[in-house]
Amino acid sequence: MKSKIYYLFALLLFFAAVGGSANARAMQDSQPDKQTLIDSLKLIVDLLEKKDYDTVEQYFYLPPNFKPEMFDVLLARKVISRDGVLAIEKGGQFGTVNLIFGEKRAATKVSDVKAPVEECYAMVMEQNDRNCEVVVHWTEGRFKIVDIERLGSMVSADVVVAEEIEVAAWPSGKEPSKKLLLDSLAVLLHHIESGHYEQAKSRVYVPDDFPAAKFKQTIERKELSADGITVMRQIGKYGTAVEVFGAERAKHFAERVNVPVEECFAVIGVQDEEGETMAHWKDGKFKFLRADDIGKLRLLKSETDPDSSGKPEGAGAKEPPK
């Protein structure tokens, strides 16, 4: 039986002409493990969003005469999505196709591409009444997609937490605190990691014409990370911005965005003087003025410690990182 994604692409060939190809682009990772697959899926989403179809073509088994522009359907029909990859990264089961599907179904899954079943892997996930699966072939030091089904319909637990906090906000009259400030910072990080840049922008003091997509640079430059937020929770010094930064420095940051310094709070790390954040408390919420070098902080606990998560409390907050 043909895979669904293969049929989806084959159907489009009735309406398209022959397309070109490009040189293959290999992943740096060299092991057929879960993290390598997740990294590959994230790269595929990036390439699809950039419409770099010639490159993304190298990560798929495709029907003859496939035209790269047909990759549009993958995002449009939610075959794959950024949120879906985040979801399966947290809650997906990875293994050989034989382990995931059993020998008979595994052989069927990879028969169309004539890949040796012992070189094929899969990742599956169930979420409420939905499920998704990814089938891949490990070849030439990278994963090549055999089939993807419903990955784009999955929702990341991190995004759910972020959206729940975003919608609920906080009860009026609740006092600012270290926990609340760092929970707010974790929500900001979730929005950035999920590609929800406009939502991230609403939580930070930036000019109106600031390109929201630039927020991903906060992770690339190690200004923010989940591990860094965890360290801030463990050992960060919290207080008013004046108490943490001193009157002159706190006033300087507050005046840059024209907010009262007495309404600002901050947390600073103590590892080699790295890691600091400052936020304005208004209408029961924190809005950030500063987040600097937090991604450079080092975890003090084992990554398997359930309390080492940098996520806000709530659904999924207790799940140790994988």
Side-chain angles (χ1 to χ4, degrees):
M1 180 180 293
K2 298 285 185 182
S3 66
K4 291 183 180 179
I5 192 168
Y6 190 96
Y7 264 133
L8 177 61
F9 286 140
L11 180 62
L12 293 175
L13 288 172
F14 283 105
F15 308 99
V18 176
S21 62
N23 294 328
R25 172 179 174 180
M27 293 289 293
Q28 296 298 317
D29 305 87
S30 58
Q31 298 299 320
D33 55 22
K34 177 178 177 179
Q35 190 56 55
T36 302
L37 178 53
I38 293 298
D39 290 343
S40 300
L41 292 171
K42 288 179 178 178
L43 175 60
I44 286 170
V45 172
D46 287 340
L47 293 171
L48 289 171
E49 290 179 343
K50 295 174 183 176
K51 298 187 181 298
D52 187 354
Y53 301 133
D54 287 337
T55 302
V56 79
E57 181 181 11
Q58 309 307 312
Y59 290 89
F60 285 84
Y61 280 102
L62 299 168
N65 301 331
F66 177 81
K67 189 173 183 179
E69 286 76 6
M70 295 175 189
F71 278 114
D72 274 338
V73 302
L74 294 187
L75 295 177
R77 300 188 185 182
K78 292 189 177 294
V79 176
I80 188 172
S81 71
R82 191 173 298 277
D83 283 355
V85 175
L86 290 173
I88 204 171
E89 179 178 17
K90 298 295 183 182
Q93 178 186 358
F94 173 85
T96 65
V97 285
N98 283 336
L99 176 64
I100 298 296
F101 298 115
E103 291 186 6
K104 185 175 181 180
R105 287 189 65 205
T108 301
K109 291 283 184 182
V110 304
S111 61
D112 291 328
V113 298
K114 296 180 173 57
V117 70
E118 64 273 12
E119 296 177 2
C120 293
Y121 297 80
M123 199 163 180
V124 295
M125 178 180 177
E126 293 184 6
Q127 190 177 76
N128 299 325
D129 59 345
R130 297 173 294 182
N131 62 77
C132 72
E133 62 184 52
V134 181
V135 180
V136 291
H137 175 209
W138 179 253
T139 177
E140 299 180 350
R142 62 190 173 101
F143 281 120
K144 194 167 183 179
I145 303 295
V146 175
D147 190 27
I148 299 180
E149 294 185 21
R150 297 176 296 277
L151 179 57
S153 66
M154 299 294 105
V155 179
S156 167
D158 290 348
V159 174
V160 172
V161 171
E163 291 177 347
E164 286 177 352
I165 292 176
E166 196 76 59
V167 171
W170 293 281
S172 59
K174 188 165 185 176
E175 296 297 320
S177 66
K178 177 181 177 180
K179 176 184 178 302
L180 200 52
L181 190 151
L182 292 176
D183 278 356
S184 303
L185 192 62
V187 172
L188 174 62
L189 175 61
H190 291 322
H191 285 320
I192 295 171
E193 289 181 329
S194 304
H196 299 161
Y197 302 128
E198 290 296 336
Q199 289 168 288
K201 184 175 179 178
S202 71
R203 304 189 67 85
V204 181
Y205 282 101
V206 291
D208 291 340
D209 60 353
F210 180 84
K214 283 192 175 182
F215 273 103
K216 62 183 177 182
Q217 294 179 0
T218 60
I219 297 174
E220 296 167 356
R221 297 176 180 177
K222 296 187 177 181
E223 306 296 355
L224 269 181
S225 74
D227 287 352
I229 294 173
T230 297
V231 176
M232 299 283 269
R233 292 186 192 277
Q234 294 169 341
I235 61 174
K237 176 186 175 183
Y238 168 79
T240 66
V242 171
E243 291 171 339
V244 174
F245 291 143
E248 184 176 350
R249 192 160 179 254
K251 184 179 179 182
H252 167 71
F253 290 136
E255 287 182 344
R256 287 171 61 180
V257 296
N258 195 30
V259 298
V261 69
E262 61 271 16
E263 295 178 0
C264 295
F265 296 80
V267 181
I268 188 168
V270 295
Q271 292 181 347
D272 301 323
E273 299 183 354
E274 288 182 334
E276 61 183 42
T277 184
M278 179 173 167
H280 177 214
W281 176 257
K282 185 178 180 181
D283 299 328
K285 294 183 181 181
F286 279 115
K287 189 169 183 177
F288 289 92
L289 290 72
R290 183 170 180 78
D292 184 59
D293 285 348
I294 295 170
K296 297 178 182 178
L297 295 170
R298 299 177 300 279
L299 278 174
L300 299 182
K301 295 185 179 182
S302 168
E303 290 186 356
T304 59
D305 187 331
D307 293 328
S308 68
S309 172
K311 303 178 181 63
E313 290 186 2
K318 299 297 184 181
E319 180 183 351
K322 294 179 175 63

